[in-house]
Amino acid sequence: MPNLRDITQSNRASWNQIHHARPGEPPAFFTSGGSALDAGEIAAAGEVAGRRVLQLACYCGDQALSWAMLGVEVTGVDISEVAVSMAREKAAAVGLAVDFRQADMLDLPAELTGFDLIYLSWGAICWVPDLAVFAQLVAERLAPGGSVLLADHHPIWEVLAVRGPNHLTVTADYFGRSTPRATIDNAKLPTGARDNPAAPDFTAFIWPPSDIITSLLSAGLHLAEFREAPAADMYPELGPAAGDLPATYLIKATRNVSHETSPRVTK
């Protein structure tokens, strides 16, 4: 298997090729009060006004700008310089001050530390080739009492594909872990690569939530919340049965919190 840097830099080159097709929301969306964050993420984050937030894999900046609109001091990091350039242009058009940086999230600049919240979402953790390295890094970059908040597609959704009414097929190994996915179903490809026969290759991974939680605990963090939820539109053609499958999950883990606090685990 290639080393971590070979994997992430290969993905960087691929992201740079498709980000022109991934503009996200226009500046007017934000100036009119729109937000790219969902209510569950905001509730799990708690009071954030005046605090420091680091978003890893920030893409074109939509969620980072949404945090900034809540009065947060935001730093957004993405491995693609094309994405970072797009994010900076959008922030300038909206009139929000966000510090966007180009960097590999497994090799962050030393000065990016002491954050109250480190946030990742919707197609971020699948690009991490080593959970232990990732978990140790985020734990070290949190301020005491700070949290990591991760909201993403459920790996069950990643491995199941809808092939017709009430017809599901397994397209990948749920327990693949550090083994790169052999193939990525077209519906699960990033925007810009989906339905694009000329799209570049990507190296992605499937991490069960239990592995992510265990890695964060091993890095010294305390589990504050774990939640799984359905999303019917993520399983088209299944009808009511789509509500019986997990589609998303949220994990919050905190640094230096008393172990007397019990995590909230909901379905």
Side-chain angles (χ1 to χ4, degrees):
M1 178 176 173
N3 65 41
L4 302 188
R5 182 170 176 79
D6 288 344
I7 291 171
T8 57
Q9 290 305 309
S10 175
N11 280 339
R12 168 180 162 264
S14 295
W15 285 119
N16 282 341
Q17 291 184 53
I18 67 168
H19 265 313
H20 67 278
R22 298 166 52 81
E25 299 291 350
F29 173 82
F30 300 99
T31 56
S32 63
S35 175
L37 302 170
D38 69 37
E41 293 173 298
I42 295 172
E47 180 56 49
V48 294
R51 310 197 80 185
R52 299 181 67 226
V53 171
L54 170 66
Q55 183 182 1
L56 301 178
C58 71
Y59 158 50
C60 66
D62 286 1
Q63 291 151 327
L65 292 172
S66 299
W67 286 116
M69 291 172 64
L70 296 175
V72 173
E73 180 186 334
V74 187
T75 300
V77 169
D78 198 275
I79 198 168
S80 165
E81 58 267 38
V82 175
V84 168
S85 177
M86 293 167 62
R88 288 171 176 165
E89 290 177 6
K90 191 178 298 187
V94 175
L96 288 171
V98 177
D99 181 13
F100 287 110
R101 307 280 193 99
Q102 188 275 323
D104 184 337
M105 65 174 156
L106 297 185
D107 187 22
L108 294 175
E111 69 271 16
L112 295 185
T113 190
F115 289 95
D116 300 299
L117 183 71
I118 296 179
Y119 167 75
L120 301 89
S121 75
W122 315 119
I125 199 69
C126 64
W127 307 109
V128 172
D130 190 311
L131 279 186
V133 172
F134 162 79
Q136 190 61 46
L137 181 145
V138 297
E140 292 171 351
R141 301 305 176 107
L142 287 172
S147 299
V148 56
L149 178 64
L150 193 156
D152 217 316
H153 312 121
H154 201 289
I156 285 289
W157 175 80
E158 294 283 356
V159 305
L160 294 179
V162 180
R163 298 302 191 212
N166 295 316
H167 180 194
L168 289 171
T169 188
V170 179
T171 63
D173 181 3
Y174 182 87
F175 300 105
R177 297 187 167 98
S178 59
T179 301
R181 297 185 64 164
T183 59
I184 303 178
D185 184 64
N186 178 69
K188 314 301 165 61
L189 286 169
T191 302
R194 203 174 308 143
D195 299 316
N196 179 4
D201 293 331
F202 287 92
T203 301
F205 301 83
I206 295 173
W207 296 110
S210 57
D211 286 26
I212 300 169
I213 291 170
T214 299
S215 69
L216 294 171
L217 295 177
S218 297
L221 301 182
H222 169 77
L223 180 63
E225 185 170 354
F226 172 49
R227 184 195 323 147
E228 300 172 282
D233 62 341
M234 291 175 63
Y235 294 100
E237 298 185 78
L238 284 192
D244 298 334
L245 289 170
T248 68
Y249 69 92
L250 180 147
I251 297 169
K252 182 180 180 181
T254 303
R255 178 180 172 186
N256 294 347
V257 171
S258 169
H259 289 283
E260 295 176 2
T261 302
S262 298
R264 290 182 288 157
V265 179
T266 59
K267 180 178 179 182

